[in-house]
Amino acid sequence: MKFPDAFLWGTATSTTQIEGHINNEWTGFVARDGKTCGIACNSYHQYAEDVQWMSQLGVNTYRMGIEWSRLQSEAQGPLHQAELARYVDQLDQLNAAGILPMVVLHHFSNPPWINAVGGWTNARTIPAFVDYATKLVAALRDRVRFWNTFNEPDTYASCGYLIAEFPPLKRGRLDLFRTVISNMAVAHERVCQVIRQAGSSLGKVEVGFSKNWTFFQPYQTNSPWDALLANFIHGQLNRLVMKRFLGGARKTASTFLGVNYYGRIRFKNLKPLVPTFGFSRKELAQMGVECDDMLERYPLGLESALQEIYKQCQLPIYITEHGCSSEDEAFRERDLRDNLAALHRAIDRGVDVRGFYYWSLLDNFEWQFGYSKKFGLLNVDFNDLQRSRSMKPLGHIYRKICLENSLDRS
Ligand code: FCB
């Protein structure tokens, strides 16, 4: 199963989850495993080693974050030169290794001075973010041509304002959820313009955002309450976000769409059938709901989601995240193969998908769940201060896929 020529194969991470030594709203947040992001994978200091591991993996692109809170300490302030220099060095190492960086500007975190004024519920955050992005893009235009404004605005806003799982831990605030989405969408459009105007000496700039695509469905199709709930969530998290970011005049702001795809959530008696809601994987499997440690696996859905999304947006698509959290590497291998086969079918049916990023390079700090979820292609020893890394079996399998640009189904 060959993938198109020049298809990008990569891996993805985010600042809060791997860098460590960070000062944002996650710093004091205690996850369900009792741990904090702390030094995380220590990638703040060990990024050069990470680049070497990526070369061993054979990837040709890396979706990485740049942490706003490191670079600016007040609205309209200058960028901190020492912090900038560290990212410049990281980008230089990636470019030198032939690994194209896709830089994410916002991934679930803000500087403390932004959180102090209400984060994205406050419209004043929009010009502050645009100012930051303008300065950053000007500083990095010789090293970056591939930008991603926001990672999963839907997850950020729903976990922070609807289900109290992310800071600021608010529940049921649909009004704030919608305000956050609207403000981010305005900022997205403006930052797209900034990036297009700045251009890049490396070639044509690409800019987009990453939409998490989860299917929400009733477990029993004849259950009206479950159907209603699933449809409501689909309306807020999928339809509304797509409309705000890509509807009307914003249609022409992005040059691509990032899609993060993991699977689906089905509801039974208004409860989500996922392991993180207290059901055991065994119990779920008996109901025909096959899950990793987080969500129901649904590779077939990737094919249909891509077709539907592409019809709607008509933009080139990158799968900016897909991954599977489990200690069972054979399960993860099957998950990867099934999802890549679905992706390949979508490409065969005419969907313009140009790349795939595996979540994640490293086992890392998985937000509200702490270090208990194992998404990495590399294992990280969290008992060792050096955070030593080692390749997992899935890393070797992914390497073969990347190098051959092909999925061998045997
Ligand atoms: C996505 C997030 C990413 C990671 C994976 C498992 O929703 O973007 O940071 O948490 O899920």
Side-chain angles (χ1 to χ4, degrees), residues 135-404:
K135 289 171 178 158
L136 189 71
V137 169
L140 298 181
R141 65 178 298 286
D142 292 338
R143 292 175 171 88
V144 181
R145 65 161 194 82
F146 207 8
W147 297 93
N148 189 313
T149 56
F150 288 94
N151 176 69
E152 301 189 356
D154 42 321
T155 307
Y156 172 76
S158 61
C159 288
Y161 297 91
L162 294 180
I163 58 171
E165 300 254 317
F166 286 7
L169 299 174
K170 305 238 187 272
R171 193 179 295 281
R173 295 299 305 268
L174 193 58
D175 54 335
L176 296 182
F177 166 86
R178 294 173 73 106
T179 305
V180 168
I181 296 296
S182 297
N183 287 339
M184 286 184 155
V186 173
H188 169 71
E189 186 182 12
R190 296 205 189 141
V191 171
C192 284
Q193 283 161 3
V194 166
I195 289 171
R196 281 161 178 259
Q197 269 160 21
S200 166
S201 58
L202 298 183
K204 196 167 171 292
V205 286
E206 296 184 59
V207 58
F209 79 106
S210 288
K211 173 75 187 80
N212 170 49
W213 195 269
T214 300
F215 284 95
F216 300 97
Q217 295 171 351
Y219 177 65
Q220 283 148 325
T221 40
N222 61 357
S223 150
W225 292 110
D226 289 330
L228 210 63
L229 177 64
N231 189 44
F232 174 74
I233 299 177
H234 175 68
Q236 299 301 317
L237 270 60
N238 292 335
R239 276 198 301 263
L240 174 89
V241 176
M242 291 296 274
K243 195 164 144 210
R244 289 279 182 278
F245 275 73
L246 295 169
R250 277 188 205 133
K251 211 177 173 94
T252 53
S254 315
T255 69
F256 75 87
L257 175 65
V259 174
N260 294 357
Y261 183 80
Y262 289 87
R264 71 176 161 183
I265 297 182
R266 287 193 280 172
F267 294 91
K268 187 166 191 275
N269 302 327
L270 305 182
K271 287 197 196 97
L273 296 176
V274 289
T276 46
F277 203 81
F279 296 99
S280 74
R281 277 177 70 178
K282 196 165 154 223
E283 184 181 358
L284 291 168
Q286 280 162 359
M287 298 170 72
V289 180
E290 194 189 26
C291 295
D292 73 343
D293 293 337
M294 303 257 297
L295 279 194
E296 183 178 356
R297 304 285 95 190
Y298 187 38
L300 269 186
L302 178 56
E303 186 185 348
S304 55
L306 285 174
Q307 287 182 281
E308 188 186 321
I309 294 169
Y310 187 57
K311 200 161 78 193
Q312 245 181 67
C313 75
Q314 290 294 318
L315 284 170
I317 292 175
Y318 293 92
I319 304 297
T320 41
E321 285 185 26
H322 171 77
C324 174
S325 156
S326 170
E327 310 259 0
D328 177 350
E329 288 287 286
F331 179 78
R332 295 177 81 213
E333 176 180 352
R334 187 152 49 82
D335 172 85
L336 176 63
R337 289 185 182 284
D338 289 349
N339 279 279
L340 287 180
L343 170 60
H344 197 274
R345 287 196 300 274
I347 295 174
D348 273 350
R349 304 228 154 103
V351 182
D352 182 6
V353 185
R354 303 202 177 165
F356 176 89
Y357 292 80
Y358 195 79
W359 184 271
S360 181
L361 175 65
L362 305 166
D363 283 346
N364 60 43
F365 176 74
E366 179 54 33
W367 312 113
Q368 70 272 45
F369 304 111
Y371 297 92
S372 59
K373 307 287 179 240
K374 305 292 183 190
F375 279 101
L377 293 167
L378 303 177
N379 172 71
V380 176
D381 183 352
F382 291 103
N383 294 318
D384 165 17
L385 266 183
Q386 298 304 312
R387 297 295 193 258
S388 54
R389 285 103 158 106
S390 55
M391 191 81 90
K392 293 192 204 176
L394 192 67
H396 293 286
I397 289 158
Y398 192 55
R399 171 186 154 84
K400 188 162 181 286
I401 296 171
C402 296
L403 293 178
E404 294 176 355

